[in-house]
Structure formats: C-alpha cells, structure tokens
Amino acid sequence: MTDLLLKYFRKKQQEVQSEKVYDTQCPFCSMQCKMQLVEQSVVSRKKYTTVGVDNPTSMGRICIKGMNAYQHAIHHERIKYPLLKVDGDFVRISWDEALMIIKERFSKIQAKDGNDALSVYGSASITNEEAYILGKFARVALKTPYIDYNGRLCMSAAATAANQTFGLDRGLTMPLSEIPQTRVIILAGTNIAECQPTIMPYFEKAKENGAYIIAIDPRETATTQIADLHLQVKPGMDAALANGMLKVLIEENLVDHSFIEQRATGFNEVADYVASLSLVEIEDMTGVPLEHIRKAAMKFGSEETGMLFTARGVEQQIDGTAAVRNLLNMIIATGKIGKQYCGYGAITGQGNGQGAREHGQKADQLPGYRSIENEQHREYIASVWGVSKDELPRKGVSAFEMFQKIDEGEIKGMLLMCSNPVVSNPNANFVKRALKKLDFLVAVDLFISETAQYADLILPASSYLEDEGTMTNLEGRVILREASRKCPGEAKHDWQIICDIAKALGKEQYFSYTKPEDIFNELRIASKGGIADYYGITYERIRKEQGVLWPCPTLQHKGTDTVFKTSFAHQDGKAKMTIVTNHSEIPKEKPTKEFPLYLTTGRVVSHYLTGVQTRKSASLAARNFESYLEIHPTTAKKYNIENNCLVSVISKRGSIVVRSKWSEKIRQDTVFVPFHWDDRQNVNMLVGEELDPSCKMPGFKVSAVKVTPV
Ligand SMILES: Nc1nc2c(c(=O)[nH]1)N[C@H]1C(S)=C(S)[C@@H](COP(=O)(O)OP(=O)(O)OC[C@H]3O[C@@H](n4cnc5c(=O)[nH]c(N)nc54)[C@H](O)[C@@H]3O)O[C@H]1N2
Ligand SMILES: Nc1nc2c(c(=O)[nH]1)N[C@H]1C(S)=C(S)[C@@H](COP(=O)(O)OP(=O)(O)OC[C@H]3O[C@@H](n4cnc5c(=O)[nH]c(N)nc54)[C@H](O)[C@@H]3O)O[C@H]1N2
Ligand code: SF4
Ligand SMILES: [Mo]
C-alpha cells in the first residue's frame, strides 16, 4: 500500500466514531447465508456493510440480495407502531388498544359465525419457533381448522411427490458437499444461479470435475449456461419429457435392476406404459428434439452416480406433483438415491421453507410432520399441548382455497402473518375482491404491503436483524439465527405477537414463553417420534456444531446427512414408482387463437418474491426498477411489439402493462414475466385459479396470453 493510501485509510478510520456488529442470517432464500451487519457511525451519518460469515452451507459467501438486505430493514417506511384503519386511513394506536380490538372483533365473529369463521395465513419466512406456535395458535387459541401458509404456493408439489414416492419429504436427500463428486446432474425448472446464487460453486466444482449437466427450462438462464445440454421444454411438459427419457433408459437397459427389485415397487407398470409411447409424439409435445431426449437419458443412465434437482419450474403446475413423481421415477429406475454422490433435491425456496412445512402451519399437519387426521398423532400433540384430542380441529383447506371460503362468506376474519397474497396468489383480482369481504383482517408485517392495505389493523413485526430463532435450510440443517438488534419503535417479534394475542383471548396458559428457546424446547418434544424429529437438536448443539441435520431423534444422534441409505420411509421400506401419463388429468391452459402464447412467470436475481422488501432497497431496485416481458424477437415482430416499449399482456382473467425485452433466449411460443411487482405490473392478475388436485399448487408456470402494444 502506498503512503498516500495508508494515510487515506487512517483518516477514514478516524472518522468512524463507533461501530456495532450484528450477527444474523439473510432474510431471503433457503441457503440462509450467515452474515454480519457492521454499523458504523461516521461523522454525520451511519454506514452499513454486510459481510459473509463462514458456515458449512454457504461457506461465507453472500449474494447481491443478502448484501443489500439491510436497506429494507432500516428503511424509513418500516412500520413502528400498531396501525388501525379509521375512515380509510391508518392511525397509530397502542398495543393495548390493538389487542383489545382483536379480542373484540375475533370474539364477535366467533359468537356470530362460529370458530371456523376465523382463519390464519402464515409463512415460510418466519422461524421454526414462530411457525410452530402459529399452528398451535390456530388450533388451540382460535380452535379453527383454517390455517395454511405461503409455502403452499412454493414447495407443496415437491413435498407431496416426495411423500408419495419415498414416504418422506426432506428437501435434499443428500448433503450439498457431495455435489462436486457426482458424475451427472439434472437441473429441472430451477434457476439456482439467480435464486440461490451461493449454491453455484458446488455445481461449478462438479463441472470442473467432469460432471455432465443437463438443464430443463423453456428459457436460457444464467443456470442453463453452465449446462452441457439444455432441453428447452415447452412450459408444463416436463412429465411427458420424463416419459421420453424413461422410455430410452428402459429400452437401452440403463436401469438398475437389482435396486429396482430390492427397493422399489411399480417399475413394471411404468415400463409397460412408456413402452406404449412414441418418442416422436413426445418430441412434438415437449418441443425438445428427439436426439436431445435420447442424449440426456443416455448420459443420465450410463453414469454410475447422478443427482436430480427440481424447483418451481416443474412444480408450480396443476400437475406439479405428477411431474415431479415422473422425474423421481428416473432416479429410482437408475438407482441413483440413498448412496454416495447420488440423490434428489427439491431446491427449497424461502429461508425457512423446510422448517415451516414440518411443524404445523399446513392445513392438514401437526408438528413433526404429523397428520392432523391421524388419531395417534392427534392424541400425542394434544397431550403435549395440554388439551383434549377431541378439541383439536380437523384439517382445513389450502392457502388459495381460504380466499374462496372468504368469497363464499364462510371465513370472516383472518390473521395474516408475513405474506402478501394480493401479489403472490393466482387470480389477484379475485383475491382482492375476497379480502374486501372480510369483516376483520389483521396483517403482521414490516411494511404496509399491498395486502396490508386491505387490513383493518396492522401490527409491526421485527426483521432478520432483530428476531432470533431457528431456521431449517435447504439441506434440512437446523441452524440458529442469532439476532439482537433493537426493534424499531414498538415493533415486536412474530412469536411475541402470537403470544400477546393468545393472552388477550384468554389462552395465556398455552402461550407463556419468555424466549424463542422455550418454544424450541417444546417443539422438540412435539416433533419427537414424528417424521421430522428435532428432539435431539438443542440451541447449544446448534451453536457448537454449526447446525444439525434432521431427523435427529436423540441428544446423542449426530443428525442425518443422507436419507434412504437402506430403506425408504414407506411401511414396506420401498419407493413407489407410478405411471404418469403424457397428458395431465386436468387439462392445462393451452394457447388458443385468441390467446396464442404461453406465459410463464418467475424471478430475477435482484428481487425477492412480491418485492415488498427488495423494492425498498435502493441498490436492488436500481438493478430492476420495473417488471418486463421477455419475448423472442420473432414473436415480438409478429405482434408488432418493439423492443423496450410498453406492452399489454392479457389473459382470460385480466391484463397488465409491462415493458418489452427482446431476447433470443426464450422459446418463440413463450413469454416470461417476473412476479415481483404490484398494481398494473402484477402478473398474478393473469394466472388462473386451477389447483393441482393432490397438493393444491396453483399453475403459476402456464397461462395462455396475448400481447399487444400499448
Ligand atoms: N432472486 C430471487 N431468489 C429467490 C427468490 C426470489 O424471489 N428471487 N425466491 C425464493 C423462493 S421462495 C423460491 S420458491 C425459489 C424459486 O426458485 P426457482 O424455482 O429456481 O425460480 P423460478 O424463477 O420461479 O423458476 C425457475 C425456472 O423455471 C423455469 N420454468 C418456467 N416454466 C417451466 C416449465 O414448465 N418447465 C421447466 N422445466 N421450467 C420452467 C423458468 O424459466 C425459471 O428459469 O427461489 C428462492 N430464491
Ligand atoms: N406468478 C407467480 N406467483 C408466485 C410465484 C411464482 O413463481 N410466480 N411463486 C410463489 C412462491 S414460490 C412463493 S414462496 C410465494 C411468496 O409469496 P408471499 O409470501 O406473499 O411473498 P413475500 O414477498 O415473501 O411476502 C412476505 C411479506 O411479509 C413481510 N415480512 C418479511 N419478513 C417478515 C417477518 O419476519 N415477519 C413478518 N410478520 N412479516 C415479514 C414482507 O414485508 C412481505 O410483505 O409467491 C408465490 N407466487
Ligand atoms: S438471497 Fe440466498 S444466496 Fe443470497 S445471500 Fe441471501 S440466503 Fe444467501
Ligand atoms: Mo417459494
């Protein structure tokens, strides 16, 4: 360093009057990168820097979103006090007043319309402790069956498929650390380069080591760029594509007969079905050249080890469960699971996408991945909670179906925590209409989101810098977010808010926790003996061991890095293969003369979900300050769409206006719009409300639309 530079840095150093360092984890994706926020007071202002902290998953890496996350957390629009809507405006009230109003309004609804008229809508961005007590709150404090959460729109198809095929749903069946050694990788409908950027080095290392990478995506993305073979499938046709690959695998005898015999059922039926199919027809249906289908299958089948990853591209379909199951058929047929350098990964979305789906926020679920319809499970959880089994409600309905119940007048009140359904649910106009019909909506958020605007009461929650608790990352590793920054204004942690409301409703005895660790210790017991067994995991162990992978049934158990080593989780120990037909049972929307194009939706690297947080960050918003329509130039010319111009995108359900972006990276029959924006740019105004019959996932990835210049 030159003298001049040294002098400069010394001067800068002197300007720093004080420095605070806060430990935390990124509030966004399932990598849950560990980080520290360094807050320096410099002469007349505060200066913030985020640094990555080493850990077994992201190894100290952070991405652009994590680096800038603090910008929303310290944003001046953070809500700091409870806000009550009075004549259309929000006015500040005290917590005591807020809790009194909730008690009054909830009790009134219950007295008039019964317990089932209240509902809870939760989130996979809250901690395990919060997800656990939110489920308990719905069943014990409100006594309503109606609780579900945003994870329904996210992981439900992959989770259901894994439960059906393996008998157990843990996001990754193998540790991330084995990726570099595997020989062939399929990335189906996952854009990890933009959505879990700090995972990329695992795949880059695999490539360096000679792995062959196959990507399946209708678009060329930063992820497909690392692939050796890109299958540019027609939206929604993954199940048929998998049938084509299965046909080749079986015809070329690239299947693992001894694995199939010992560890699976249903192979012969699948083999008979795919034998009856024509590859030429599959080529036509999927838009993937026959020789590419063949090559992908040959590569996947002929290597000793291999892995399959899926994400929302395959899963957010009205046949998402079936599509994933057909891809899993390939994993089982080739015996690439339960052994070293092999396995399946449903790339988890939200920060706590795993934990939040294991401990009881889902309509049909009790903690520990137990079933609310199973008598023994009910009995056990009732005993942990100190209530009688018969008092526990039965299963409710899925996230979107709750809005249908509101529309039909059955549900009158809702507690919404950490989600923004006006932007994230399909058929946004319908969701808005339903919300207006509610007698009473309480939203718990960091900001006045597009949905909170419909609320009667908004409660201020704490952010990732302030709220301590455990999260379960994409590997299934339970980790502890140590957070200690002071809450702004009168904001409270979500777990405190749940307890305060329960107390106001006279249910204090079931919710008398003083810190997250108290809740975690109850969760450990509630999960004990369940599928997602956390009993052996403690705060102390997490701190010492940098996280513990579930299942972990005892304090001596070291946690589980690979599942299904010797058997699957079904009663007979076998994986269930199943026939998935080329044509889904419920017909998906297809392009027509009036709506000639496929619309698919998704993400960009700089924004997160409905954008409430990332649109507040100046650095992230600067990268993409508005939505756009990705369209092939040939298609654009056909519909008179110039580059960089405003375009109407119209479906049967509504229309939006976004800016065109010509790109040769997308199929000519398909357009793409990200979903991080609201109002006129809210792409969910176009998406239909058909749901996958087995998991209730909406079809975010296929709609039929037309495009016209504005
Ligand atoms: N930057 C950023 N990162 C995120 C998020 C975010 O909002 N922004 N959200 C987090 C969450 S909650 C989630 S769930 C994950 C989502 O992570 P991903 O599922 O990877 O993200 P998407 O962009 O929704 O979809 C992935 C890809 O699927 C493709 N696709 C669309 N239709 C089809 C199809 O029919 N078949 C196939 N095979 N592919 C298709 C899209 O072109 C897209 O490239 O990301 C997490 N990380
Ligand atoms: N068209 C289309 N739609 C989609 C998808 C798609 O690919 N395409 N993807 C779907 C997927 S995978 C998902 S996960 C959903 C997500 O959908 P949402 O859950 O609706 O999205 P978020 O933006 O995460 O909403 C979180 C809200 O909670 C607030 N918040 C953040 N942190 C906290 C906290 O700690 N406590 C509280 N109380 N509030 C907090 C934020 O300010 C924000 O308003 O969207 C789904 N919708
Ligand atoms: S968005 Fe995901 S990859 Fe990026 S820093 Fe946050 S947790 Fe890590
Ligand atoms: Mo998600």
Side-chain angles (χ1 to χ4, degrees):
M1 211 179 273
T2 64
D3 281 353
L4 206 65
L5 259 181
L6 261 178
K7 224 165 142 187
Y8 171 81
F9 280 119
R10 222 168 265 141
K11 182 159 176 289
K12 283 268 152 214
Q13 205 65 48
Q14 281 157 2
E15 284 171 5
V16 176
Q17 291 159 341
S18 74
E19 183 179 283
K20 285 189 194 131
V21 179
Y22 299 102
D23 285 315
T24 188
Q25 284 163 208
C26 176
F28 302 129
C29 86
S30 56
M31 287 299 284
Q32 278 307 289
C33 302
K34 291 255 178 207
M35 50 178 59
Q36 284 180 331
L37 181 71
V38 183
E39 183 184 289
Q40 295 177 320
S41 296
V42 190
V43 196
S44 58
R45 64 188 180 96
K46 290 241 198 291
K47 191 178 159 231
Y48 297 90
T49 316
T50 305
V51 288
V53 171
D54 190 36
N55 66 87
T57 308
S58 69
M59 303 183 163
R61 297 184 283 269
I62 54 173
C63 80
I64 178 89
K65 278 189 304 305
M67 215 178 292
N68 293 295
Y70 72 90
Q71 293 178 357
H72 81 262
I74 62 166
H75 197 273
H76 65 92
E77 286 175 34
R78 272 283 296 272
I79 41 177
K80 299 182 186 68
Y81 312 96
L83 298 171
L84 180 72
K85 195 181 265 166
V86 180
D87 298 331
D89 290 320
F90 286 108
V91 296
R92 175 178 170 179
I93 57 169
S94 71
W95 273 102
D96 284 344
E97 287 167 314
L99 293 167
M100 215 169 65
I101 291 166
I102 295 175
K103 180 193 156 102
E104 235 174 69
R105 303 292 295 271
F106 276 5
S107 308
K108 203 165 140 197
I109 291 171
Q110 284 175 320
K112 186 162 161 279
D113 297 295
N115 293 343
D116 295 5
L118 291 181
S119 63
V120 176
Y121 192 112
S123 172
S125 292
I126 54 180
T127 64
N128 286 320
E129 291 78 357
E130 289 158 349
Y132 168 75
I133 56 164
L134 193 60
K136 181 176 175 183
F137 173 82
R139 277 80 178 225
V140 174
L142 299 182
K143 296 181 190 287
T144 178
Y146 295 127
I147 171 164
D148 211 57
Y149 76 123
N150 63 9
R152 180 71 71 165
L153 317 173
C154 180
M155 300 292 299
S156 64
T160 305
N163 279 323
Q164 291 176 353
T165 297
F166 306 135
L168 175 113
D169 152 44
R170 195 189 73 177
L172 297 193
T173 68
M174 67 293 179
L176 279 176
S177 57
E178 286 187 6
I179 293 173
Q181 266 72 45
T182 194
R183 299 294 307 153
V184 53
I185 296 169
I186 298 181
L187 298 170
T190 169
N191 185 6
I192 42 177
E194 295 201 63
C195 296
Q196 291 80 15
T198 59
I199 206 177
M200 284 303 275
Y202 291 98
F203 291 88
E204 283 154 1
K205 197 88 207 154
K207 205 173 157 75
E208 264 172 53
N209 292 344
Y212 189 82
I213 302 183
I214 301 159
I216 311 176
D217 196 307
R219 303 184 303 139
E220 233 179 279
T221 65
T223 307
T224 65
Q225 274 165 24
I226 66 158
D228 298 280
L229 180 62
H230 175 197
L231 311 180
Q232 204 162 3
V233 68
K234 249 184 224 172
M237 297 315 289
D238 297 87
L241 180 61
N243 275 331
M245 288 177 66
L246 277 163
K247 188 179 168 75
V248 176
L249 286 169
I250 294 168
E251 278 176 4
E252 300 291 336
N253 199 22
L254 293 170
V255 295
D256 183 339
H257 291 288
S258 81
F259 184 89
I260 292 166
E261 212 159 282
Q262 286 163 34
R263 303 206 45 191
T265 59
F267 174 77
N268 291 335
E269 290 78 0
V270 172
D272 286 348
Y273 173 68
V274 297
S276 74
L277 300 175
S278 139
L279 281 177
V280 177
E281 209 174 293
I282 290 176
E283 173 180 45
D284 184 54
M285 288 176 79
T286 59
V288 179
L290 208 158
E291 64 270 27
H292 286 181
I293 301 177
R294 183 174 289 283
K295 188 163 186 190
M298 297 293 286
K299 277 284 177 191
F300 193 68
S302 56
E303 292 289 355
E304 193 56 33
T305 61
M307 292 181 182
L308 163 73
F309 295 88
T310 66
R312 309 307 89 77
V314 175
E315 302 159 12
Q316 287 175 329
Q317 310 275 358
I318 57 175
D319 66 343
T321 308
V324 174
R325 287 203 74 184
N326 218 17
L327 288 160
L328 296 182
N329 280 339
M330 293 201 293
I331 275 277
I332 296 163
T334 56
K336 289 190 167 62
I337 191 157
K339 59 185 188 204
Q340 210 177 23
Y341 312 136
C342 291
Y344 166 60
I347 304 275
T348 302
Q350 297 166 86
N352 197 25
Q354 289 226 12
R357 74 176 186 268
E358 291 154 10
H359 299 297
Q361 278 188 100
K362 215 165 144 239
D364 57 354
Q365 222 178 54
L366 291 173
Y369 230 130
R370 287 185 163 88
S371 160
I372 202 163
E373 294 296 329
N374 176 306
E375 293 310 313
Q376 276 120 38
H377 294 184
R378 293 170 64 82
E379 178 100 53
Y380 178 70
I381 294 298
S383 75
V384 176
W385 288 349
V387 297
S388 102
K389 178 183 89 161
D390 304 325
E391 275 176 71
L392 286 184
R394 295 275 161 180
K395 73 170 180 203
V397 298
S398 74
F400 183 73
E401 289 171 310
M402 289 207 283
F403 293 108
Q404 291 174 323
K405 290 221 174 276
I406 295 170
D407 188 55
E408 290 156 9
E410 261 184 74
I411 292 178
K412 305 273 196 199
M414 177 178 270
L415 172 70
L416 169 74
M417 179 167 273
C418 192
S419 186
N420 184 18
V422 161
V423 184
S424 58
N425 271 249
N427 202 354
N429 285 323
F430 169 80
V431 174
K432 289 182 196 169
R433 190 181 82 196
L435 284 172
K436 282 189 200 145
K437 290 190 182 175
L438 277 175
D439 283 349
F440 189 54
L441 172 64
V442 188
V444 188
D445 206 299
L446 310 177
F447 298 100
I448 305 180
S449 71
E450 289 74 21
T451 310
Q453 276 164 17
Y454 288 83
D456 300 284
L457 180 63
I458 309 178
L459 303 177
S462 61
S463 79
Y464 77 110
L465 290 174
E466 301 126 22
D467 190 18
E468 178 194 71
T470 63
M471 314 283 274
T472 306
N473 77 6
L474 83 170
E475 296 179 281
R477 193 185 299 274
V478 184
I479 49 182
L480 179 59
R481 183 174 74 195
E482 314 256 13
S484 59
R485 199 168 187 267
K486 205 169 133 319
C487 291
E490 292 176 8
K492 293 188 187 190
H493 305 309
D494 289 305
W495 66 267
Q496 289 177 318
I497 296 172
I498 300 166
C499 293
D500 286 353
I501 299 176
K503 196 167 159 186
L505 299 175
K507 304 288 177 182
E508 186 179 5
Q509 68 179 114
Y510 305 105
F511 295 88
S512 57
Y513 313 98
T514 55
K515 55 183 190 306
E517 192 172 359
D518 296 347
I519 306 173
F520 190 76
N521 282 331
E522 187 181 303
L523 181 161
R524 290 175 51 218
I525 296 167
S527 75
K528 190 175 181 202
I531 290 176
D533 194 331
Y534 281 33
Y535 183 69
I537 307 172
T538 61
Y539 272 33
E540 197 192 335
R541 274 192 73 178
I542 299 176
R543 287 196 175 108
K544 216 158 69 198
E545 299 167 34
Q546 294 195 298
V548 183
L549 290 148
W550 76 263
C552 180
T554 65
L555 289 167
Q556 291 71 39
H557 192 286
K558 67 171 189 29
T560 310
D561 57 359
T562 304
V563 286
F564 315 139
K565 273 185 188 154
T566 52
S567 74
F568 291 95
H570 286 303
Q571 286 265 292
D572 62 0
K574 294 190 171 182
K576 289 189 190 350
M577 293 182 70
T578 193
I579 296 174
V580 178
T581 56
N582 272 345
H583 300 275
S584 75
E585 279 159 37
I586 334 172
K588 275 181 237 181
E589 207 162 91
K590 277 219 164 68
T592 58
K593 221 168 165 181
E594 192 187 355
F595 301 106
L597 295 168
Y598 287 107
L599 163 75
T600 193
T601 66
R603 293 151 168 83
V604 299
V605 69
S606 53
H607 281 286
Y608 188 69
L609 299 178
T610 68
V612 178
Q613 293 159 277
T614 48
R615 282 185 268 125
K616 303 277 186 323
S617 153
S619 308
L620 295 173
R623 296 177 145 237
N624 289 86
F625 70 95
E626 60 178 1
S627 188
Y628 63 87
L629 172 84
E630 184 178 343
I631 185 168
H632 195 283
T634 309
T635 316
K637 282 175 202 150
K638 190 165 158 195
Y639 298 105
N640 302 315
I641 310 280
E642 287 183 36
N643 192 14
N644 209 16
C645 281
L646 291 180
V647 197
S648 289
V649 189
I650 305 160
S651 82
K652 267 196 256 173
R653 290 152 295 264
S655 71
I656 59 169
V657 176
V658 289
R659 196 170 295 281
S660 62
K661 191 168 168 181
W662 285 15
S663 163
E664 298 198 336
K665 295 180 172 174
I666 188 162
R667 291 176 58 90
Q668 294 191 13
D669 56 6
T670 304
V671 293
F672 170 85
V673 180
F675 84 106
H676 312 292
W677 286 271
D678 60 336
D679 293 338
R680 293 302 300 276
Q681 302 180 61
N682 180 348
V683 72
N684 276 325
M685 295 209 281
L686 310 183
V687 174
E689 50 188 77
E690 204 78 66
L691 305 175
D692 178 314
S694 49
C695 67
K696 309 292 178 178
M697 170 69 88
F700 291 122
K701 295 295 194 256
V702 178
S703 315
V705 294
K706 64 178 167 194
V707 292
T708 58
V710 169

